[in-house]
Amino acid sequence: MEPNKAQPKSNFSWKLESSSSSFLTQQPPKPVRHSSDQTQQVKPRRTQSPIAMTRIETYEDFVKVHGLLLAASGLPQSLHRQLFQKLLSESFDGGSHFQIEPTEDGRQRRLVLTSDSMPEHSDVFLIDHAWTFRLSDAYKQLMEVPGLAERMAAIMCVDADLNSDSEEDRLSEGNAKRCVLEVLENEITEANGNVRWLELEDLDIDDETLSSLDLSTKCPGLFALSLCGNKLQNVEVVVQEVTKFKNLRALWLNNNPVVQNCGDELADKVLRELPNLEIYNSKFTSNYGEWALGFCGGVYDKENPGSVDQPDNKLKQVTDLDLSNRCIHNLFNKAFTPLQLPCLSYLNIRGNPLEETAVGDLLQLLRNFPSLQSLEVDIPGPLGESAVQILESLPNLSVLNGVNASKIFETEKDVVDSGLQPRLPEWTADEPLTDRVINAMWLYLMTYRLADEEKIDETSVLYVMDELGSALRHSDEPNFRVAPFLFMPEGTLASAVSFSILWPIQNVQKGYECTRDYLFGIGEDKQRSARLTAWFNTPENYFVREYEKHQRSLKSKNLTSLTLDSCPTRSLHRSETSALRVYTDIPQVEELLTRPEFVITTDLRDAEIIWTCTQVDEDMKKATGITDNQYINQFPFEACIVMKHHLAETIQKAHGSPEWLQPTYNLETHLSQLIGDYCVRKRDGLNNLWILKPWNMARTIDTTVTGNISAIIRLMETGPKICQKYIEHPALFQGRKFDIRYIVLVRSMNPLEIFISDTFWVRLANNQYSLDQHSLFEYETHFTVMNYRGTLNHKNTSEFVREFELEHRVNWLDIHSRVKKMIRSVFEAAAQVHPEMHSTTSRAMYGVDVMLDSSFQPKLLEVTYCPDCGRACKYDMEAIVGDKEVVRGRDFYNYVFGCLFLNETTHVSPL
């Protein structure tokens, strides 16, 4: 609550460049005082089966099998033998050296050294993995594995309210009023009947109780009144009671229903009736003056609330003034002057708009304070966008945002900050443990991916370290290092048991907090500072500005008319007596290409047409003897459309941000802009559900839907991804999601000759669509590709279209027209942005996946090279457009090749 607020801050400092960001710790971890009633000894817990030693028995064998893993871990060679011995004996001896303590009011834990000292590289410790899983299995495991949710909730500190009685249970309606009266009577007694500061917080005071207390009679001289956290609901009752105190300087009604439901109306009435009020609900009013500044400077508090006839020099001795987040619009005030505050050396004006004063005037005002040496302000913000420029304008400053001025000039960073507060999980009292854990786990998860000589796993393994490991907090200058390690007691991956290993990388003394670098090895070239947003409340202003600049850039894009050279394609078939030789490694083509104009050959060098699912690059051409005269079913540089991050970039360069492309960010290059977009949506109360997709993976592998910004950032660790605004309101078919696979044939990029096949098909999710948080883990609810996972329920296209038209009362031809226009725009963008795609000996077929939103507008999902056309070949389809003939599945490749190589237009439409 405001009158007694104590906001803990982290020990970290950060720096942020204008194009990226960089955080660093300014000082080493400080020793931590121990309190025996608030600590717990580390008790490692095992979840794996005991290690059965059947093969590795000597240190030499251990090194031979684990040499690469040891090198990758970074563990000093001097500790290798010690690690082997601890693995062999399953020695979890961390409890003899460390202690876990609660911090952040019990919402985090930290690890403290209890040994007298621990020199650098002197020991290594095993950390068990308390939970190991694939992301798709997380919710199910939490629900089904006995005790898992409870243990995870304890590790993640989201069970704090489960073992204590709620306030509503503690206070029945009958004794709530008696409790209020007791508090009020004690306050009056302590103040000898002259109460000027009254705090009646979290006492279940409702409107009737407030009226019955008759506070204006019992405490007529109030200067400050706090009614935070009660049950006040009626605007008229609240206004009637609080406006009786005409000398009131501060009023706190935070966390009452009346503020949440009628905030603006209540504020207007209160401020109109209380002209002397300077602080209202923790914000400064336009009438703020000496009292409000004195409150923030520690002059006025419960022990010294001030008086009507207070002297005018109360601010003379103030040295530190924290005005952060006070909603101050204008800093020019008769009380905020160098004359009134001659000793002011530290000033914090973060979180205030200050939009009523020009930057130059604000800088001039601050220059006039003779003792001001340390300033905290939003950057970018009311004083400008550059830390260096602010320091140049305020030459007396020695510290800006907690960082020494000399260091800022040395590094030339534009944005600097210190004291980042941790991003703590939020939950409601009735929220199940599983939901709390799912939300909080991104602050604790680590990841690895298994691989052998033949392949690498498609999805990563996620894990949470045990109580000891999870208590290690972040520092940019850590004193410990952690690395995952797979112990293979039988020398095979099948026998592997996962651990983490912990060792000191600095000399650590007793009582010091033990820390690790959450982003070890990740520098500013990989957006280190922006990625720290996963764990800390980094300044939103910076990211919002980056997002706004990105949006302005996109809006400036406008595809100009294509001025492409005339280079018409020609039919390859020039003789009725000889067929075109086709080499293919695709069984469907080999089986179903039956036209006499084409003949299959197994000799790649002899082929005139090469139709392959393998990428044909210069190296492959040299290795196989492919010549420039052979026709290939791919265009050079087609990655600009078939890789998801390049596709978005290509479209954005040409079209900016068209309606048919959801807001899309390449997380490897535009994380700051994505965070800014997320912050703006959160601020404006908009939907913030996003989908993360790997750059170049098919079948929705490693694809995740989430609304958690920490999850978005942490999932970067499982591989490069784009983050795209999720279509939260798609068009549904009988309550289920669907997308549509269109087949696009490209004869030429210059001039642009593209065709859309009459054959397309719908892909349906199996479950009813839902935005329930639990459903986000259900593949068959949010995804539609069931060829490889789930149960494939094919729907004939013509039947789908008829039933969809009836269900939604729409004309499919209108939708089809919009889809064709969109697809044309995609390939126009590629032709303009990447003219190097053009090749006279290229012909290609692409799959274009499209989803409709609830307004039946098309949204581009992706473009696929060499698409799986199994359904097109298996099912006959009544054409929806054109002459509406039945297109036989077995003829699919016949008309594809006819279009691309014989210049025919059977069962295709030009775009």
Side-chain angles (χ1 to χ4, degrees), residues 336-452:
F336 186 77
T337 67
L339 182 64
Q340 293 290 330
L341 293 158
C343 299
L344 184 64
S345 62
Y346 167 84
L347 174 65
N348 186 342
I349 53 174
R350 293 175 184 272
N352 294 294
L354 298 174
E355 81 284 4
E356 295 180 4
T357 310
V359 173
D361 294 337
L362 276 174
L363 290 169
Q364 181 60 48
L365 172 65
L366 297 177
R367 273 196 295 268
N368 291 333
F369 284 86
S371 302
L372 187 61
Q373 296 181 345
S374 178
L375 175 67
E376 298 208 28
V377 63
D378 295 328
I379 307 176
L383 297 185
E385 300 191 3
S386 168
V388 171
Q389 291 178 5
I390 291 173
L391 286 174
E392 290 174 342
S393 300
L394 301 172
N396 291 335
L397 288 184
S398 58
V399 178
L400 178 62
N401 287 359
V403 183
N404 288 333
S406 59
K407 196 165 188 66
I408 295 172
F409 283 121
E410 176 186 339
T411 56
E412 297 183 344
K413 300 294 184 183
D414 285 326
V415 182
V416 296
D417 207 337
S418 66
L420 291 179
Q421 295 185 0
R423 184 181 294 277
L424 299 173
E426 298 178 358
W427 68 89
T428 59
D430 58 349
E431 190 170 356
L433 271 187
T434 51
D435 293 359
R436 300 184 189 189
V437 170
I438 289 294
N439 181 50
M441 67 184 186
W442 301 102
L443 304 175
Y444 295 89
L445 289 180
M446 298 178 74
T447 182
Y448 59 82
R449 184 169 289 185
L450 294 173
D452 56 27

Side-chain angles (χ1 to χ4, degrees), residues 624-654:
T624 59
I626 296 176
T627 69
D628 292 338
N629 295 322
Q630 292 175 293
Y631 286 79
I632 304 172
N633 67 324
Q634 55 192 253
F635 281 84
F637 299 97
E638 66 180 9
C640 72
I641 55 173
V642 300
M643 293 186 72
K644 298 179 185 69
H645 62 308
H646 289 323
L647 173 64
E649 181 183 29
T650 298
I651 292 169
Q652 289 167 349
K653 283 183 176 180

